[in-house]
């Protein structure tokens, strides 16, 4: 058997390789060569979906990345991962707040199955209120317009299982968040079609241009006999960290209507938006639910095709809590379809209780959202300054946890060289998001997360600086 | 459109019916006639798996039941559900304990994706320790032998998705927990085959007899061209509330080996076991992991076919926390297969943190387990006494949260009459588990949960007493 490897973001890392602390980077007992392991398997038959699954490498690689990640107590020599969208800037505030309200928030009913098959009635109500207060939906969101899932990851998995069949395609503008590749595919069997706008990739926000690319993709799919069932909008966009203009959002709606497909709007960064003077006319965040498509365009739009995905992970710095929601205001059949699935993947009631408490505590909610926005502005500026010092070109952002950076001055000519740089950084205790893992087409792009508290971000950038220095001094492909 | 109804445990309840507080029993916006709703649907196409799903009624009925359930604050006139396996006897102790340790248990890392793609390293380690300390596995459980899911519900869903394909059968001794009907089926497409032992049904624990029925079921499946992929053992058994003898457990292992199928052992009531003098020779709980099948029988047993399902819901009174595990000690490929799925249905980190803290706090762990066992003994005796006073025959139990009760003196002659009684009880603010929902074959069986704190149990029994009195006075099928 060849040495186990892990694949993520294009990384191929041997289990024999050691990390910053001199410890093996990979737990060989868990992360191994999937094909070798299958060849050696003698136990009773497994399902075809497992045996033939092509996403194994991704899951195992993700597991590997988590296992080597920095933890100030358990793994201080671990990797600080600038490739992962986690916002830990306000963790201390949240810890204090939840500790303070825990006994008030958690009720005896949270120990039982609770008040609905999905999350609690309290959570459904709180989420509806929050949406109505912050995102001006055209029609107020009702608690029963909502289905729940463990995170947006689970929401996408479950939603597509209801919307489409195995083999059906979902169109997504690329470069895009790499989780989409697995989240919607692993269980539902969807097929992701990456749709590229005109060069350069960042032109995606130009009205008309993005949709022209979608029209072309739709034609291609038809020619190949691929059934397109949905288009996914990621707004604010990941990895570009930018909000969409109303015009482009309307393009999406009309495109979905024209082809009679579902429109999934992933809005998990909705409250992580700020003004960046470098993007003077950047639009505010606009929820698809707030758009009166028919009035704006004079054209028909059947709102039963519109489904919003949201999670508290990003805007409230709690990826670990797994609190995802799907809002489908005009398609009760979809909400009902999700009910089956939500019960076999029900939300944990403690997170449900604490987040509901926070939403209902409006002064604290507002205070923390505002504090987060200020912190986002500061950390994004610090990251941009670091990148510029390296001679890289960070693409200005006004939302999200990260920025795309043109680091082509590192001299990558191939994607393999980009991967080498990713591996190299891990040895310096820092992870970077490689452009290729988001389906960027030219080597040299990095997606860098800036949402760490100042001291942690400083440490990460110090490590990244050293990694770059060593990379430059050894020359490319020595 | 005809009035919406909800189906669960054979209940068909109209949305126009009112509950104890005079409020509608059903939220018609959510629970409606699935077939009518489909007929009226004009939106974009949904998946075949949703459109053709036969389990809708069950999920919606479950949702309905949760929505009308008693809550001392929000719904004091709601139904106290003696048909649901929730153990709320120690809720106050848990609330106090978790509030006390919250700040210590929850770490900054719990706000991030954490230290593994599945649950935290801390949780995996704590569960392995707990298993090794309490259930004497033949080989010590390692943290990496464990996969996680939101509850045993999710564990069964995910596990079967890895083990078998749509249409593959799982054999289960009946009567059995009704959740199996949906949990393993909704997403994986498994087919459940209910296997009945010799009459009376409670003879299922006789060595040889249960397996003879399984052999017959296996033959039937073969004749029908149904591919059997697994046998499920529920130990301690639900709904019978009894532990299995070593001999029967060995029967299960050899049966799985003989037919080269997987053996899933659902052991979620492992620590909810006590001595009942009415069952003098009842065996203690024996985990399948602790059995040396080859040494005991002299026959080959490939342990890669053995998978344990466990959850903290039952033994630690926290159904809402959704903390399920799958232990597969000798089949790393299954654990790896589960990794994909576990990430799209990851556990909430707060429950993970609190339960890990409890497991590692060994004096408190032992104290609460012992207190729970004492409370189980008391509450089961109180329930048995109530039933005897009604002239019913409770089947003696030594485990679980409930007992099966022969209530045939209520005079049901048909399953429809049994359903009528279920509906009748809800009008008196109390729910009962109908034997038919657990696939009992003769009308008149009830599964009654006794694991409520004394005052709540008293209130439930008072309501049930009144319901029975009214039922008797009106006569059957008036």
């Amino acid at each position: 058997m060849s040495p186990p490897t892990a694949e993520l973001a294009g990384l191929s890392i041997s289990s024999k390789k050691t990390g910053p602390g001199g410890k093996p980077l990979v737990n060989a007992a868990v992360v191994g060569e999937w094909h070798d392991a299958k060849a050696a398997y003698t136990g009773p038959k497994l399902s075809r979906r497992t045996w033939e699954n092509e996403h194994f490498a991704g899951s195992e690689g993700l597991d590997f990345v988590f296992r080597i990640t920095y933890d100030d107590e358990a793994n201080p020599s671990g990797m600080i991962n600038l490739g992962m969208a986690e916002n830990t800037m306000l963790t201390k505030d949240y810890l204090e707040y939840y500790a303070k309200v825990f006994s008030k928030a958690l009720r005896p009913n949270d120990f039982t199955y609770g008040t609905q098959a999905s999350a609690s009635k309290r959570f459904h109500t709180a989420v509806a209120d929050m949406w109505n207060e912050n995102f001006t939906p055209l029609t107020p969101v009702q608690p029963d317009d909502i289905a729940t899932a463990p995170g947006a990851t689970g929401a996408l998995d479950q939603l597509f299982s209801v919307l489409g069949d195995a083999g059906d395609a979902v169109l997504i503008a690329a470069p895009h968040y790499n989780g989409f590749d697995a989240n919607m595919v692993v269980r539902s069997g969807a097929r992701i079609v990456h749709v590229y706008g005109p060069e350069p990739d960042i032109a995606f926000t130009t009205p008309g241009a993005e949709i022209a690319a979608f029209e072309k993709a739709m034609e291609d799919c038809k020619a190949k006999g691929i059934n397109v069932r949905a288009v996914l909008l990621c707004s604010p966009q990941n990895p570009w960290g930018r909000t969409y203009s109303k015009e482009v959002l309307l393009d999406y709606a009309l495109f979905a209507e024209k082809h009679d497909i579902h429109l999934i709007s992933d809005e998990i960064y909705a409250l992580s938006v700020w003004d960046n003077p470098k993007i003077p006319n950047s639009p505010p965040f606009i929820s698809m639910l707030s758009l009166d498509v028919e009035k704006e365009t004079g054209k028909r739009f059947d709102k039963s095709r519109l489904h919003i995905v949201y999670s508290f992970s990003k805007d409230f710095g709690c990826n670990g809590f797994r609190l995802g929601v799907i809002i489908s205001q005009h398609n009760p059949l979809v909400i009902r379809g999700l009910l089956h699935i939500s019960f076999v993947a029900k939300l944990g009631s403690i997170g449900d209780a604490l987040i509901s408490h926070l939403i209902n505590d409006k002064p604290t909610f507002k205070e923390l959202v505002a504090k987060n926005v200020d912190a986002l502005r500061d950390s994004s500026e610090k990251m941009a300054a670091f990148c510029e010092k390296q001679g890289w070109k960070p693409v200005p952002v006004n939302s999200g946890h990260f920025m795309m950076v043109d680091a082509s001055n590192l001299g990558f000519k191939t994607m393999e060289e980009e991967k080498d740089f990713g591996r190299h950084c891990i040895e310096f205790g820092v992870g970077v998001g490689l452009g290729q893992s988001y389906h960027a087409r030219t080597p040299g792009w990095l997606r860098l997360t800036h949402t760490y508290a100042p001291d942690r971000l400083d440490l990460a950038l110090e490590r990244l600086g050293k990694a770059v220095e060593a990379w430059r001094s050894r020359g490319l492909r020595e």
Side-chain angles (χ1 to χ4, degrees), chain A:
Chain A
M1 196 189 278
S2 57
T5 60
E7 291 279 345
L8 181 83
L11 297 173
S12 251
I13 296 161
S14 162
S15 65
K16 291 183 177 159
K17 204 132 194 168
T18 53
K23 288 183 188 168
L25 277 178
V26 180
N27 180 339
V30 170
V31 181
E33 286 286 2
W34 176 235
H35 294 290
D36 290 346
K38 280 205 301 184
Y41 183 73
T42 58
K45 205 174 166 190
L46 303 181
S47 66
R48 280 192 301 277
R49 52 194 148 209
T50 297
W51 202 253
E52 294 162 10
N53 198 310
E54 288 169 13
H55 290 272
F56 250 98
S59 304
E60 301 209 339
L62 197 61
D63 190 52
F64 154 70
V65 165
F66 291 137
R67 283 172 187 249
I68 64 167
T69 292
Y70 182 92
D71 179 305
D72 51 8
E73 261 184 40
N75 191 18
S77 65
M79 171 185 70
I80 304 180
N81 195 357
L82 299 176
M84 193 70 73
E86 294 171 332
N87 177 351
T88 54
M89 298 188 295
L90 269 59
T91 303
K92 212 167 149 264
D93 301 77
Y94 291 119
L95 264 170
E96 277 170 19
Y97 179 74
Y98 294 135
K100 200 177 70 188
V101 303
F102 182 83
S103 295
K104 231 187 292 180
L106 203 70
R107 304 203 43 251
N109 245 352
D110 291 309
F111 287 76
T112 71
Y113 283 115
T115 48
Q116 293 190 198
S118 145
S120 72
K121 204 171 289 184
R122 166 195 62 200
F123 182 76
H124 282 250
T125 307
V127 171
D129 282 356
M130 170 191 145
W131 214 267
N132 295 333
E133 291 230 347
N134 291 277
F135 306 118
T136 55
L138 213 54
T139 313
V141 174
Q142 301 298 326
D144 284 342
D145 297 340
I146 296 169
T148 63
T153 307
L156 289 163
D157 158 47
Q158 298 183 16
L159 180 58
F160 197 78
S161 291
V162 168
L163 302 185
D165 293 301
D168 284 353
V170 183
L171 307 182
I172 312 178
H176 64 71
Y177 165 57
N178 49 8
F180 294 139
D181 293 311
N183 297 347
M184 273 186 291
V185 170
V186 165
R187 296 209 72 179
S188 77
R191 182 197 305 253
I192 305 299
V193 176
H194 321 296
V195 180
Y196 292 89
E199 297 284 5
D201 287 330
I202 54 168
F204 79 98
T205 46
T206 310
E210 189 156 351
I211 283 315
F214 276 112
E215 290 288 359
K216 174 75 175 53
M218 184 62 92
E219 270 174 41
D220 288 351
C221 285
K222 276 186 188 159
K224 289 179 193 157
I226 297 171
N227 185 36
V228 176
R229 187 57 67 87
V231 54
L232 187 140
L233 164 71
C234 177
S235 164
Q237 215 271 355
N238 176 353
W240 292 112
R242 291 279 278 269
T243 48
Y244 275 95
S245 68
K246 188 166 81 176
E247 290 69 26
V248 177
L249 297 178
L250 292 171
D251 278 357
Y252 266 88
L254 295 182
F255 175 77
E257 182 68 31
K258 176 177 172 189
H259 296 285
D260 191 19
I261 58 177
H262 295 277
L263 170 54
I264 305 170
S265 183
D266 177 345
E267 306 185 351
I268 59 166
Y269 292 101
L271 290 170
S272 298
V273 178
W274 64 97
D275 285 325
N276 181 350
K278 292 199 175 164
I279 324 174
N281 297 313
S282 69
F285 166 71
I286 303 165
S287 170
M288 277 301 313
L289 288 185
S290 70
L291 276 183
D292 191 339
V293 179
E294 299 200 339
K295 198 171 156 194
E296 295 276 355
T297 66
K299 292 179 183 162
R300 176 176 158 72
F301 178 66
D302 176 357
K303 286 181 276 191
S304 74
R305 65 181 80 256
L306 174 61
H307 319 287
I308 309 296
V309 167
Y310 184 74
S311 159
F312 288 86
S313 299
K314 306 300 184 186
D315 290 339
F316 297 88
C318 58
N319 300 46
F321 290 12
R322 315 315 298 149
L323 300 170
V325 299
I326 298 149
I327 307 176
S328 194
Q329 284 193 284
H330 304 279
N331 202 324
L333 216 57
V334 164
I335 294 296
R336 293 166 66 158
L338 287 164
L339 196 61
H340 300 294
I341 301 179
S342 65
F343 190 67
V344 295
K346 198 171 154 81
L347 304 195
S349 58
I350 320 180
D352 166 323
L354 293 179
I355 282 283
S356 298
H357 195 93
L358 173 59
I359 298 173
N360 292 333
D361 176 358
K362 289 177 187 176
T364 305
F365 179 94
K366 277 186 188 147
E367 185 196 315
L368 288 173
V369 168
K371 190 170 180 181
N372 187 48
V373 166
D374 285 342
L376 285 162
R377 188 182 289 109
D378 292 348
S379 65
S380 63
E381 282 170 7
K382 185 186 272 189
M383 177 62 84
F386 171 87
C387 292
E388 279 159 7
K389 218 173 125 194
Q390 304 296 326
W392 302 342
K393 288 171 228 145
V395 177
V397 288
N398 71 343
S399 49
H401 293 175
F402 37 70
M403 58 189 63
M404 283 290 267
V405 176
D406 176 353
S408 54
N409 78 346
L410 287 170
F412 316 137
K413 287 192 184 60
T414 65
M415 292 300 188
E416 195 47 53
E417 286 169 358
E418 191 181 280
K419 276 189 207 178
D420 280 346
F421 180 70
R423 283 186 280 256
H424 169 85
C425 287
I426 291 180
E427 289 172 49
F428 283 78
V430 65
V432 295
L434 300 179
Q436 63 190 280
S437 74
Y438 308 100
H439 308 287
R441 288 173 298 183
T442 48
W445 286 100
L446 302 176
R447 195 196 76 169
L448 298 177
T449 295
H450 53 80
T451 47
Y452 285 100
D455 57 337
R456 186 74 55 85
L457 185 54
D458 288 343
L459 180 58
L461 296 181
E462 187 193 318
R463 289 180 180 185
L464 183 55
K466 282 183 188 158
V468 170
E469 201 184 315
W471 178 262
R472 292 200 195 277
S473 74
R474 81 172 193 179
L476 275 176
R477 315 290 292 163
E478 57 190 330

